Amino acid sequence: MASVGANQKSAEWVLGAGEEFRFEVDFKHTIEIKLKHGHAEYFGAELGREASYSFSGENGVVFSWEGCTLTVIGECQSAYVAGETPMDSCINVHMALQQLRVQARSDSANGPRVIIVGPDDSGKTSLARTLINYAVRMGETPLYVDLDPMDASVTVPGTVSVTPMSKTVDIETGFMSYAMSSSAGPPDTPLVWQFGHEQPTDNAELFNLLVDRMAAAIGRHTANNSQSATSGLFVDTRGFTDAAKCETIDHAISALGITTLLVVGSERMYSLLSNRPFAKEGVTVIKMARSGGTVDRSAMFRQQYNSRIIQQYFYGTPKEPFSSFSTVANFQEIRILRVGEDSIAPSSTLPLGETRMLTDTSVLAVEPDEALTHSILAVTDASMDLEGDSVAGMQALGFVNVTVVDMEKKRLILISPVPGRLPKQVLLYDVESLRSALPTDMHSKEIIFIPINNSNSFVHVEGGSGSHWSLLIYVKHVNPTYHYYDSMANINYQYALAVKSKLDAILFGAGSQGPPMITHSCPQQENGSDCGIFVILYTDLLARRYNDLRLPPPIQPTNRVSMPPPVPPRPRRLRKFSAEPDTTRHAASIALHNRRNSSQPQSSSLPTRPSTYHDSSDDSSGVIRRPMSPFVRSSNTRNRMAVRPAMLVAPVIERAFWWIDYADLCNPLKARTTLQALVNEHCTRYNNIATSLN
Ligand SMILES: Nc1ncnc2c1ncn2[C@@H]1O[C@H](COP(=O)(O)OP(=O)(O)OP(=O)(O)O)[C@@H](O)[C@H]1O
């Protein structure tokens, strides 16, 4: 978090009783908030008078019961005072829970166990944080159970955890401060389990197993700590609205002995959950209003947020920086395992009659290779000789980051938050870490454009820490293929390979070779700074090419499709910029243009489809049928991706890569003068394409 500059503007905000100051500040800016007069709190934690609190990449709220004056230094994306807040119902819930704690103390029973559910960004974590802070301020020591792996607030993303709370949540670093050993003593150290997926339903079996392990740990903890037992616990969950996803909630409610369920911001969910069996078995279901201040966070925001959490795990915060340490682990000294299915392909894609051989908690050995680079590995409590699925529910002692995989010396170079050798040698690999960068419904995507960077940093660095960008494209059709474009003599080739092998592991199973990667000749940059522009232009041109070739109206199964011949590649000419217009290419473009503008396939004016493109789905009558691909979408709407006739896939893909129209790029004068100007347009196009792909 950068500090606020001396010349930043400062503003004074006056809050009346029961009002709150809401602000949004992005990751590029930092603001400082000081309480000048009165009393105020940040999600239930009291602000110290004249103490200065810094925020960056945060949507926050300072609330005052009695009124206060704040000084805010720095630039917010939005800042306002609101009078309508759900704080009254929040304090009512807190008081009711406090009565239950007092009752539990006199009965020597467990205190209230609360689970908070609701849609994404409805304010579940904020409510949990506020109620925990109120409880702690009354001398309670509740447990905080984080069952939101995507938004893991205690350690790295992809995990679930339980933390005993004996002090209010740190205003600046949130729950993360509990994972920092220097600020939390051993009694407050969180227990963490590696889950490795974003949604509990991605591997419900493993998720439920971890909840069971967590429940056992909580049982041991509360058996020896009556104060903690009577203080109860708060469970934060992953956002959901779908009734089908209740299964993991049902399990958590029964395993953790939940007594109260708070439903935030959804009438529908409230009604749905009020009718579940647990509601009839004594769990109180309470509806909570969503605060008008909660903000829907974009995928980019979440990614940057998670990046910062990882950075804080290894390097601490600006106020409390850590040193991280480098350590070496030889391949033969360690076991790297991953838990769960080989591939995220759904069961429905298996050949008819086949069932999966593995359960979702099966443990698979991972052979170290380049794909491990930049991975976060959980160091587990398991011993080297522990066999089978018992490793799956093992607690994570901590996390290391793989900076180098040295295949020659057969060793990993790791960054660890603590010095010395690894305490244990069984490491859990989370191949899914790449998934956050991929579309959620990846199986329905036909083309994935993946910008490749040669950065060695595993966390987001403002402005980027690498020096070169190139483009990898994954094209899924009958025969999936990767295509690689690099504007500087393929210098990012090894990085593209590393990403490819990670994708292979996700798409085709751990250890799979995956489909081939074709490296294409393409225009080369002439300076040291245009790589990003070239990536945008390659993406734009190729995406446009795919879209253009899809422009003819949906072809009925009875239509005979005639394709124009492929234009042969001209690598030399493409590399050498020429001022002269290329008439051959121009003619080919016109032919394509004519075909696009016609409402019927131009079988008469264009040569017929080359026989090499015929696939087994063509029958003798020349009628082309849709090839049987598990991923073919059947929608006949005019959605660009959906209407694309599957039988065009193979020829289109081949020609798309041959038929790149570099006319604009190949005129050196034009390229020089317009490249920069084009960037904005191309960025917009790129965004449009990304949106349509999403
Ligand atoms: N009253 C408020 N005013 C301003 N911002 C708020 C308020 N309450 C919550 N927020 C912000 O809104 C965002 C979403 O809130 P929160 O993280 O609590 O939601 P969530 O339901 O836990 O989200 P998730 O989908 O990750 O589970 C956060 O950035 C939070 O800081």
Side-chain angles (χ1 to χ4, degrees):
M1 206 184 294
S3 58
V4 179
N7 53 356
Q8 292 274 30
K9 63 175 183 187
S10 153
E12 200 149 277
W13 293 84
V14 180
L15 274 64
E19 287 187 338
E20 61 188 25
F21 169 70
R22 296 171 181 166
F23 64 87
E24 284 176 48
V25 52
D26 64 23
F27 287 86
K28 291 192 197 125
H29 297 91
T30 300
I31 61 161
E32 247 171 49
I33 296 183
K34 267 187 198 168
L35 173 68
K36 302 299 282 183
H37 306 289
H39 294 276
E41 55 188 44
Y42 191 74
F43 296 116
E46 269 198 298
L47 263 64
R49 187 82 50 83
E50 290 295 341
S52 145
Y53 299 96
S54 308
F55 301 94
S56 175
E58 190 95 22
N59 311 311
V61 55
V62 178
F63 175 80
S64 178
W65 289 105
E66 298 146 17
C68 71
T69 308
L70 303 171
T71 306
V72 179
I73 308 167
E75 196 181 323
C76 297
Q77 273 52 66
S78 88
Y80 62 98
V81 172
E84 253 183 51
T85 79
M87 291 305 285
D88 283 343
S89 51
C90 186
I91 198 80
N92 283 343
V93 168
H94 163 67
M95 293 316 292
L97 294 175
Q98 193 56 27
Q99 279 175 13
L100 292 173
R101 288 185 193 112
V102 172
Q103 184 67 41
R105 217 149 274 145
S106 67
D107 297 349
S108 302
N110 280 335
R113 296 188 164 202
V114 182
I115 189 166
I116 304 174
V117 302
D120 279 345
D121 290 320
S122 55
K124 299 178 294 300
T125 310
S126 306
L127 178 62
R129 185 169 169 173
T130 308
L131 291 173
I132 286 171
N133 282 334
Y134 284 166
V136 169
R137 282 166 66 183
M138 297 195 80
E140 303 291 345
T141 53
L143 296 170
Y144 171 56
V145 179
D146 185 3
L147 292 188
D148 182 354
M150 183 169 158
D151 211 15
S153 35
V154 177
T155 52
V156 299
T159 55
V160 292
S161 62
V162 53
T163 313
M165 310 292 299
S166 60
K167 56 187 175 62
T168 53
V169 180
D170 188 81
I171 289 178
E172 290 171 321
T173 49
F175 290 101
M176 188 66 183
S177 60
Y178 278 81
M180 299 179 183
S181 51
S182 62
S183 58
D188 285 347
T189 308
L191 304 183
V192 181
W193 287 262
Q194 163 99 326
F195 176 55
H197 303 267
E198 287 181 354
Q199 300 288 344
T201 43
D202 289 342
N203 188 340
E205 196 182 330
L206 176 61
F207 190 81
N208 290 344
L209 173 77
L210 298 185
V211 170
D212 289 343
R213 296 287 161 95
M214 195 178 272
I218 290 171
R220 288 192 296 274
H221 175 82
T222 50
N224 297 320
N225 188 332
S226 60
Q227 163 74 7
S228 182
T230 50
S231 296
L233 56 81
F234 291 92
V235 184
D236 186 16
T237 58
R238 177 82 230 112
F240 78 99
T241 44
D242 185 353
K245 296 189 177 163
C246 280
E247 181 205 327
T248 51
I249 297 290
D250 286 347
H251 183 83
I253 286 175
S254 105
L256 298 171
I258 296 298
T259 56
T260 311
L261 186 146
L262 302 180
V263 186
V264 188
S266 172
E267 285 277 350
R268 187 174 163 275
M269 277 181 73
Y270 171 71
S271 136
L272 172 88
L273 294 167
S274 302
N275 291 317
R276 304 286 292 183
F278 55 72
K280 295 177 185 95
E281 287 160 13
V283 174
T284 314
V285 184
I286 299 172
K287 184 170 54 180
M288 301 287 292
R290 175 183 178 148
S291 164
T294 50
V295 177
D296 286 339
R297 289 164 294 175
S298 65
M300 171 68 88
F301 185 95
R302 282 179 187 267
Q303 207 170 3
Q304 286 181 300
Y305 190 84
N306 283 343
S307 212
R308 185 170 70 194
I309 293 268
I310 296 173
Q311 190 163 28
Q312 285 179 350
Y313 179 80
F314 286 99
Y315 299 105
T317 61
K319 281 198 178 163
E320 206 175 346
F322 292 162
S323 301
S324 62
F325 303 88
S326 190
T327 183
V328 173
N330 295 319
F331 288 175
Q332 80 268 16
E333 291 170 358
I334 52 173
R335 269 174 82 196
I336 303 176
L337 306 171
R338 66 181 300 259
V339 179
E341 284 288 2
D342 267 38
S343 153
I344 59 167
S347 303
S348 55
T349 60
L350 290 174
L352 210 63
E354 277 198 20
T355 51
R356 291 197 187 288
M357 298 300 289
L358 298 165
T359 68
D360 286 347
T361 53
S362 295
V363 174
L364 307 160
V366 176
E367 287 305 318
D369 64 16
E370 279 88 0
L372 283 178
T373 317
H374 303 324
S375 303
I376 303 279
L377 303 177
V379 182
T380 73
D381 205 10
S383 58
M384 279 292 263
D385 50 0
L386 192 63
E387 289 298 333
D389 298 359
S390 40
V391 178
M394 279 287 162
Q395 217 176 293
L397 299 179
F399 298 86
V400 290
N401 171 247
V402 182
T403 49
V404 177
V405 181
D406 188 339
M407 293 305 286
E408 258 177 41
K409 295 187 179 155
K410 300 208 174 312
R411 61 181 198 173
L412 301 180
I413 299 179
L414 308 166
I415 286 184
S416 159
V418 288
R421 296 182 72 76
L422 292 179
K424 293 274 179 141
Q425 278 71 41
V426 179
L427 307 172
L428 281 184
Y429 171 44
D430 169 16
V431 70
E432 308 295 332
S433 57
L434 184 64
R435 269 179 84 183
S436 58
L438 296 170
T440 47
D441 51 345
M442 198 160 56
H443 287 103
S444 66
K445 304 300 176 203
E446 304 203 4
I447 307 161
I448 303 176
F449 293 89
I450 308 153
I452 301 290
N453 189 268
N454 59 350
S455 166
N456 273 323
S457 172
F458 58 94
V459 290
H460 173 81
V461 177
E462 194 55 57
S465 65
S467 59
H468 184 58
W469 286 97
S470 57
L471 179 68
L472 178 68
I473 307 181
Y474 169 72
V475 180
K476 177 212 77 182
H477 60 115
V478 181
N479 295 310
T481 320
Y482 294 93
H483 299 269
Y484 180 61
Y485 294 83
D486 193 325
S487 60
M488 203 184 254
N490 295 331
I491 63 169
N492 269 6
Y493 182 78
Q494 52 160 320
Y495 298 93
L497 267 190
V499 172
K500 170 191 168 336
S501 54
K502 284 189 184 187
L503 262 178
D504 285 344
I506 290 177
L507 292 166
F508 306 100
S512 152
Q513 287 295 310
M517 183 167 103
I518 301 169
T519 305
H520 292 268
S521 303
C522 50
Q524 299 290 291
Q525 64 191 86
E526 291 178 338
N527 57 23
S529 56
D530 273 351
C531 55
I533 295 168
F534 273 78
V535 167
I536 293 167
L537 290 171
Y538 295 154
T539 308
D540 178 31
L541 288 163
L542 290 168
R544 218 171 338 152
R545 182 62 54 198
Y546 285 123
N547 284 338
D548 286 352
L549 290 169
R550 213 173 288 136
L551 271 182
I555 297 163
Q556 300 306 312
T558 47
N559 284 359
R560 175 186 283 276
V561 180
S562 301
M563 300 298 295
V567 173
R570 304 182 189 82
R572 283 234 170 108
R573 299 192 62 173
L574 291 177
R575 276 164 183 270
K576 254 189 166 184
F577 289 132
S578 153
E580 292 301 315
D582 181 341
T583 48
T584 336
R585 187 166 46 234
H586 189 58
S589 296
I590 290 171
L592 177 65
H593 181 74
N594 288 340
R595 192 173 68 82
R596 274 183 225 147
N597 290 338
S598 159
S599 59
Q600 294 297 323
Q602 302 286 301
S603 51
S604 56
S605 60
L606 292 164
T608 52
R609 197 163 71 124
S611 59
T612 46
Y613 291 147
H614 279 255
D615 56 42
S616 57
S617 53
D618 282 12
D619 70 10
S620 54
S621 66
V623 175
I624 300 170
R625 296 220 181 90
R626 196 177 283 268
M628 293 308 293
S629 156
F631 303 126
V632 169
R633 294 168 61 167
S634 58
S635 165
N636 60 358
T637 63
R638 259 203 87 78
N639 173 324
R640 279 209 210 116
M641 282 303 169
V643 294
R644 180 176 172 191
M647 62 264 189
L648 288 181
V649 168
V652 166
I653 301 299
E654 292 222 22
R655 280 191 326 98
F657 287 96
W658 281 19
W659 215 341
I660 300 163
D661 184 1
Y662 286 116
D664 287 349
L665 263 182
C666 291
N667 179 330
L669 284 176
K670 205 170 171 189
R672 283 273 122 238
T673 52
T674 59
L675 214 51
Q676 284 294 346
L678 282 172
V679 169
N680 284 343
E681 186 210 339
H682 285 292
C683 283
T684 314
R685 280 176 185 282
Y686 183 83
N687 283 339
N688 291 341
I689 292 159
T691 312
S692 76
L693 284 175
N694 280 330

